[in-house]
mmCIF file of all heavy atoms in Angstrom:
data_model
loop_
_atom_site.group_PDB
_atom_site.id
_atom_site.type_symbol
_atom_site.label_atom_id
_atom_site.label_comp_id
_atom_site.label_asym_id
_atom_site.label_seq_id
_atom_site.Cartn_x
_atom_site.Cartn_y
_atom_site.Cartn_z
ATOM 1 N N THR A 2 -77.539 -128.455 -76.330
ATOM 2 C CA THR A 2 -77.358 -129.228 -75.103
ATOM 3 C C THR A 2 -78.121 -128.594 -73.948
ATOM 4 O O THR A 2 -78.767 -129.290 -73.155
ATOM 5 C CB THR A 2 -75.865 -129.315 -74.751
ATOM 6 O OG1 THR A 2 -75.200 -130.045 -75.785
ATOM 7 C CG2 THR A 2 -75.646 -130.028 -73.425
ATOM 8 N N VAL A 3 -78.051 -127.270 -73.834
ATOM 9 C CA VAL A 3 -78.777 -126.559 -72.772
ATOM 10 C C VAL A 3 -80.269 -126.823 -72.888
ATOM 11 O O VAL A 3 -80.952 -127.072 -71.886
ATOM 12 C CB VAL A 3 -78.482 -125.046 -72.844
ATOM 13 C CG1 VAL A 3 -79.447 -124.259 -71.960
ATOM 14 C CG2 VAL A 3 -77.048 -124.774 -72.410
ATOM 15 N N ALA A 4 -80.812 -126.797 -74.103
ATOM 16 C CA ALA A 4 -82.241 -127.056 -74.296
ATOM 17 C C ALA A 4 -82.612 -128.462 -73.831
ATOM 18 O O ALA A 4 -83.655 -128.670 -73.187
ATOM 19 C CB ALA A 4 -82.606 -126.866 -75.767
ATOM 20 N N LYS A 5 -81.761 -129.447 -74.118
ATOM 21 C CA LYS A 5 -82.026 -130.820 -73.678
ATOM 22 C C LYS A 5 -81.990 -130.922 -72.155
ATOM 23 O O LYS A 5 -82.822 -131.608 -71.550
ATOM 24 C CB LYS A 5 -80.997 -131.773 -74.277
ATOM 25 C CG LYS A 5 -81.137 -131.991 -75.768
ATOM 26 C CD LYS A 5 -80.017 -132.888 -76.261
ATOM 27 C CE LYS A 5 -80.032 -132.982 -77.769
ATOM 28 N NZ LYS A 5 -78.897 -133.757 -78.279
ATOM 29 N N LEU A 6 -81.027 -130.255 -71.552
ATOM 30 C CA LEU A 6 -80.931 -130.292 -70.090
ATOM 31 C C LEU A 6 -82.138 -129.635 -69.440
ATOM 32 O O LEU A 6 -82.673 -130.136 -68.443
ATOM 33 C CB LEU A 6 -79.648 -129.580 -69.641
ATOM 34 C CG LEU A 6 -78.348 -130.359 -69.847
ATOM 35 C CD1 LEU A 6 -77.147 -129.444 -69.676
ATOM 36 C CD2 LEU A 6 -78.267 -131.529 -68.878
ATOM 37 N N GLN A 7 -82.588 -128.526 -69.985
ATOM 38 C CA GLN A 7 -83.747 -127.839 -69.414
ATOM 39 C C GLN A 7 -84.994 -128.723 -69.487
ATOM 40 O O GLN A 7 -85.797 -128.764 -68.544
ATOM 41 C CB GLN A 7 -83.962 -126.507 -70.134
ATOM 42 C CG GLN A 7 -82.885 -125.490 -69.807
ATOM 43 C CD GLN A 7 -82.945 -124.249 -70.676
ATOM 44 O OE1 GLN A 7 -83.498 -124.274 -71.775
ATOM 45 N NE2 GLN A 7 -82.375 -123.154 -70.193
ATOM 46 N N LEU A 8 -85.147 -129.436 -70.608
ATOM 47 C CA LEU A 8 -86.284 -130.364 -70.735
ATOM 48 C C LEU A 8 -86.161 -131.511 -69.730
ATOM 49 O O LEU A 8 -87.144 -131.910 -69.101
ATOM 50 C CB LEU A 8 -86.348 -130.922 -72.156
ATOM 51 C CG LEU A 8 -86.870 -129.973 -73.242
ATOM 52 C CD1 LEU A 8 -86.735 -130.612 -74.612
ATOM 53 C CD2 LEU A 8 -88.333 -129.605 -72.976
ATOM 54 N N ALA A 9 -84.945 -132.025 -69.588
ATOM 55 C CA ALA A 9 -84.730 -133.147 -68.663
ATOM 56 C C ALA A 9 -85.013 -132.740 -67.223
ATOM 57 O O ALA A 9 -85.587 -133.507 -66.445
ATOM 58 C CB ALA A 9 -83.302 -133.663 -68.798
ATOM 59 N N LEU A 10 -84.619 -131.527 -66.851
ATOM 60 C CA LEU A 10 -84.836 -131.059 -65.480
ATOM 61 C C LEU A 10 -86.313 -130.823 -65.184
ATOM 62 O O LEU A 10 -86.734 -130.852 -64.021
ATOM 63 C CB LEU A 10 -84.027 -129.778 -65.241
ATOM 64 C CG LEU A 10 -82.508 -129.967 -65.189
ATOM 65 C CD1 LEU A 10 -81.795 -128.620 -65.238
ATOM 66 C CD2 LEU A 10 -82.096 -130.737 -63.951
ATOM 67 N N ARG A 11 -87.089 -130.573 -66.228
ATOM 68 C CA ARG A 11 -88.525 -130.370 -66.043
ATOM 69 C C ARG A 11 -89.309 -131.686 -66.070
ATOM 70 O O ARG A 11 -90.514 -131.695 -65.852
ATOM 71 C CB ARG A 11 -89.062 -129.435 -67.128
ATOM 72 C CG ARG A 11 -88.688 -127.967 -66.901
ATOM 73 C CD ARG A 11 -89.219 -127.070 -68.017
ATOM 74 N NE ARG A 11 -89.091 -125.670 -67.666
ATOM 75 C CZ ARG A 11 -87.972 -124.959 -67.780
ATOM 76 N NH1 ARG A 11 -86.886 -125.541 -68.241
ATOM 77 N NH2 ARG A 11 -87.935 -123.689 -67.434
ATOM 78 N N ALA A 12 -88.613 -132.768 -66.393
ATOM 79 C CA ALA A 12 -89.293 -134.061 -66.469
ATOM 80 C C ALA A 12 -89.824 -134.456 -65.087
ATOM 81 O O ALA A 12 -89.303 -134.044 -64.051
ATOM 82 C CB ALA A 12 -88.336 -135.132 -66.995
ATOM 83 N N ALA A 13 -90.839 -135.277 -65.083
ATOM 84 C CA ALA A 13 -91.416 -135.723 -63.811
ATOM 85 C C ALA A 13 -90.384 -136.513 -63.017
ATOM 86 O O ALA A 13 -89.500 -137.167 -63.563
ATOM 87 C CB ALA A 13 -92.640 -136.593 -64.089
ATOM 88 N N ALA A 14 -90.493 -136.447 -61.703
ATOM 89 C CA ALA A 14 -89.560 -137.150 -60.825
ATOM 90 C C ALA A 14 -89.587 -138.634 -61.147
ATOM 91 O O ALA A 14 -90.637 -139.251 -61.253
ATOM 92 C CB ALA A 14 -89.940 -136.926 -59.375
ATOM 93 N N GLY A 15 -88.403 -139.200 -61.304
ATOM 94 C CA GLY A 15 -88.287 -140.630 -61.578
ATOM 95 C C GLY A 15 -88.341 -140.975 -63.036
ATOM 96 O O GLY A 15 -88.100 -142.110 -63.407
ATOM 97 N N ALA A 16 -88.679 -140.003 -63.917
ATOM 98 C CA ALA A 16 -88.741 -140.294 -65.342
ATOM 99 C C ALA A 16 -87.336 -140.260 -65.927
ATOM 100 O O ALA A 16 -86.450 -139.593 -65.395
ATOM 101 C CB ALA A 16 -89.616 -139.261 -66.049
ATOM 102 N N PRO A 17 -87.092 -140.975 -67.019
ATOM 103 C CA PRO A 17 -85.763 -140.925 -67.640
ATOM 104 C C PRO A 17 -85.442 -139.508 -68.087
ATOM 105 O O PRO A 17 -86.318 -138.759 -68.485
ATOM 106 C CB PRO A 17 -85.912 -141.866 -68.853
ATOM 107 C CG PRO A 17 -87.099 -142.717 -68.556
ATOM 108 C CD PRO A 17 -88.015 -141.876 -67.719
ATOM 109 N N ALA A 18 -84.168 -139.134 -68.022
ATOM 110 C CA ALA A 18 -83.758 -137.792 -68.438
ATOM 111 C C ALA A 18 -84.054 -137.560 -69.912
ATOM 112 O O ALA A 18 -84.412 -136.477 -70.318
ATOM 113 C CB ALA A 18 -82.262 -137.598 -68.176
ATOM 114 N N VAL A 19 -83.907 -138.601 -70.729
ATOM 115 C CA VAL A 19 -84.174 -138.513 -72.157
ATOM 116 C C VAL A 19 -84.934 -139.767 -72.572
ATOM 117 O O VAL A 19 -84.606 -140.857 -72.138
ATOM 118 C CB VAL A 19 -82.856 -138.407 -72.966
ATOM 119 C CG1 VAL A 19 -83.142 -138.298 -74.449
ATOM 120 C CG2 VAL A 19 -82.037 -137.222 -72.490
ATOM 121 N N ALA A 20 -85.936 -139.596 -73.408
ATOM 122 C CA ALA A 20 -86.677 -140.760 -73.885
ATOM 123 C C ALA A 20 -85.724 -141.714 -74.592
ATOM 124 O O ALA A 20 -84.838 -141.269 -75.339
ATOM 125 C CB ALA A 20 -87.776 -140.316 -74.848
ATOM 126 N N PRO A 21 -85.880 -143.040 -74.394
ATOM 127 C CA PRO A 21 -84.960 -143.996 -75.025
ATOM 128 C C PRO A 21 -84.873 -143.833 -76.535
ATOM 129 O O PRO A 21 -83.801 -143.954 -77.114
ATOM 130 C CB PRO A 21 -85.567 -145.356 -74.638
ATOM 131 C CG PRO A 21 -86.309 -145.090 -73.368
ATOM 132 C CD PRO A 21 -86.854 -143.688 -73.506
ATOM 133 N N GLU A 22 -86.019 -143.528 -77.186
ATOM 134 C CA GLU A 22 -86.012 -143.364 -78.629
ATOM 135 C C GLU A 22 -85.146 -142.181 -79.048
ATOM 136 O O GLU A 22 -84.369 -142.258 -80.006
ATOM 137 C CB GLU A 22 -87.442 -143.163 -79.160
ATOM 138 C CG GLU A 22 -88.362 -144.351 -78.933
ATOM 139 C CD GLU A 22 -88.891 -144.422 -77.498
ATOM 140 O OE1 GLU A 22 -88.664 -143.458 -76.731
ATOM 141 O OE2 GLU A 22 -89.500 -145.455 -77.149
ATOM 142 N N ALA A 23 -85.264 -141.080 -78.291
ATOM 143 C CA ALA A 23 -84.462 -139.901 -78.604
ATOM 144 C C ALA A 23 -82.981 -140.173 -78.364
ATOM 145 O O ALA A 23 -82.116 -139.720 -79.118
ATOM 146 C CB ALA A 23 -84.927 -138.708 -77.771
ATOM 147 N N LEU A 24 -82.689 -140.937 -77.311
ATOM 148 C CA LEU A 24 -81.303 -141.270 -76.993
ATOM 149 C C LEU A 24 -80.683 -142.116 -78.103
ATOM 150 O O LEU A 24 -79.558 -141.873 -78.542
ATOM 151 C CB LEU A 24 -81.256 -142.013 -75.667
ATOM 152 C CG LEU A 24 -79.888 -142.170 -74.998
ATOM 153 C CD1 LEU A 24 -79.289 -140.815 -74.682
ATOM 154 C CD2 LEU A 24 -80.015 -142.996 -73.743
ATOM 155 N N ARG A 25 -81.454 -143.104 -78.587
ATOM 156 C CA ARG A 25 -80.947 -143.949 -79.661
ATOM 157 C C ARG A 25 -80.728 -143.158 -80.943
ATOM 158 O O ARG A 25 -79.746 -143.352 -81.661
ATOM 159 C CB ARG A 25 -81.913 -145.115 -79.906
ATOM 160 C CG ARG A 25 -81.790 -146.234 -78.875
ATOM 161 C CD ARG A 25 -82.516 -147.484 -79.342
ATOM 162 N NE ARG A 25 -83.961 -147.286 -79.356
ATOM 163 C CZ ARG A 25 -84.749 -147.545 -78.324
ATOM 164 N NH1 ARG A 25 -84.233 -148.011 -77.187
ATOM 165 N NH2 ARG A 25 -86.043 -147.353 -78.407
ATOM 166 N N ALA A 26 -81.655 -142.230 -81.234
ATOM 167 C CA ALA A 26 -81.526 -141.414 -82.445
ATOM 168 C C ALA A 26 -80.283 -140.541 -82.381
ATOM 169 O O ALA A 26 -79.541 -140.404 -83.359
ATOM 170 C CB ALA A 26 -82.776 -140.545 -82.628
ATOM 171 N N LEU A 27 -80.032 -139.962 -81.197
ATOM 172 C CA LEU A 27 -78.858 -139.113 -81.035
ATOM 173 C C LEU A 27 -77.582 -139.941 -81.122
ATOM 174 O O LEU A 27 -76.581 -139.529 -81.710
ATOM 175 C CB LEU A 27 -78.925 -138.375 -79.703
ATOM 176 C CG LEU A 27 -77.813 -137.361 -79.423
ATOM 177 C CD1 LEU A 27 -77.784 -136.279 -80.483
ATOM 178 C CD2 LEU A 27 -78.005 -136.746 -78.049
ATOM 179 N N LEU A 28 -77.609 -141.133 -80.539
ATOM 180 C CA LEU A 28 -76.456 -142.025 -80.598
ATOM 181 C C LEU A 28 -76.118 -142.375 -82.042
ATOM 182 O O LEU A 28 -74.962 -142.343 -82.455
ATOM 183 C CB LEU A 28 -76.751 -143.291 -79.804
ATOM 184 C CG LEU A 28 -75.736 -144.430 -79.895
ATOM 185 C CD1 LEU A 28 -74.366 -143.950 -79.474
ATOM 186 C CD2 LEU A 28 -76.169 -145.591 -79.049
ATOM 187 N N GLN A 29 -77.144 -142.699 -82.849
ATOM 188 C CA GLN A 29 -76.912 -143.040 -84.249
ATOM 189 C C GLN A 29 -76.312 -141.869 -85.003
ATOM 190 O O GLN A 29 -75.421 -142.024 -85.840
ATOM 191 C CB GLN A 29 -78.225 -143.476 -84.895
ATOM 192 C CG GLN A 29 -78.725 -144.823 -84.394
ATOM 193 C CD GLN A 29 -80.119 -145.149 -84.907
ATOM 194 O OE1 GLN A 29 -80.715 -144.353 -85.636
ATOM 195 N NE2 GLN A 29 -80.641 -146.297 -84.527
ATOM 196 N N GLN A 30 -76.800 -140.673 -84.685
ATOM 197 C CA GLN A 30 -76.300 -139.478 -85.355
ATOM 198 C C GLN A 30 -74.825 -139.241 -85.049
ATOM 199 O O GLN A 30 -74.034 -138.913 -85.924
ATOM 200 C CB GLN A 30 -77.125 -138.264 -84.918
ATOM 201 C CG GLN A 30 -76.647 -136.945 -85.512
ATOM 202 C CD GLN A 30 -77.387 -135.766 -84.924
ATOM 203 O OE1 GLN A 30 -78.343 -135.937 -84.180
ATOM 204 N NE2 GLN A 30 -76.957 -134.576 -85.254
ATOM 205 N N LEU A 31 -74.436 -139.414 -83.776
ATOM 206 C CA LEU A 31 -73.067 -139.124 -83.374
ATOM 207 C C LEU A 31 -72.105 -140.250 -83.727
ATOM 208 O O LEU A 31 -70.943 -140.005 -84.012
ATOM 209 C CB LEU A 31 -73.010 -138.853 -81.873
ATOM 210 C CG LEU A 31 -73.628 -137.530 -81.429
ATOM 211 C CD1 LEU A 31 -73.675 -137.469 -79.910
ATOM 212 C CD2 LEU A 31 -72.839 -136.351 -81.972
ATOM 213 N N ALA A 32 -72.594 -141.490 -83.693
ATOM 214 C CA ALA A 32 -71.717 -142.629 -83.949
ATOM 215 C C ALA A 32 -71.505 -142.882 -85.435
ATOM 216 O O ALA A 32 -70.552 -143.553 -85.818
ATOM 217 C CB ALA A 32 -72.289 -143.885 -83.290
ATOM 218 N N ALA A 33 -72.392 -142.329 -86.271
ATOM 219 C CA ALA A 33 -72.266 -142.545 -87.712
ATOM 220 C C ALA A 33 -70.993 -141.895 -88.226
ATOM 221 O O ALA A 33 -70.574 -140.850 -87.728
ATOM 222 C CB ALA A 33 -73.485 -141.968 -88.427
ATOM 223 N N PRO A 34 -70.345 -142.496 -89.209
ATOM 224 C CA PRO A 34 -69.137 -141.869 -89.765
ATOM 225 C C PRO A 34 -69.466 -140.537 -90.412
ATOM 226 O O PRO A 34 -70.546 -140.347 -90.967
ATOM 227 C CB PRO A 34 -68.665 -142.892 -90.812
ATOM 228 C CG PRO A 34 -69.875 -143.721 -91.128
ATOM 229 C CD PRO A 34 -70.692 -143.760 -89.871
ATOM 230 N N LEU A 35 -68.540 -139.613 -90.293
ATOM 231 C CA LEU A 35 -68.748 -138.306 -90.893
ATOM 232 C C LEU A 35 -68.743 -138.427 -92.410
ATOM 233 O O LEU A 35 -67.975 -139.214 -92.980
ATOM 234 C CB LEU A 35 -67.630 -137.343 -90.461
ATOM 235 C CG LEU A 35 -67.599 -137.009 -88.974
ATOM 236 C CD1 LEU A 35 -66.363 -136.179 -88.669
ATOM 237 C CD2 LEU A 35 -68.852 -136.264 -88.565
#
């Protein structure tokens, strides 16, 4: 999580904190049944 935050804080002003594709991939990973 810290690594993701550090990348997001270095992103250009006005850019999304996380790329939509990466966000969707993470969502699928967490929402999938164990």
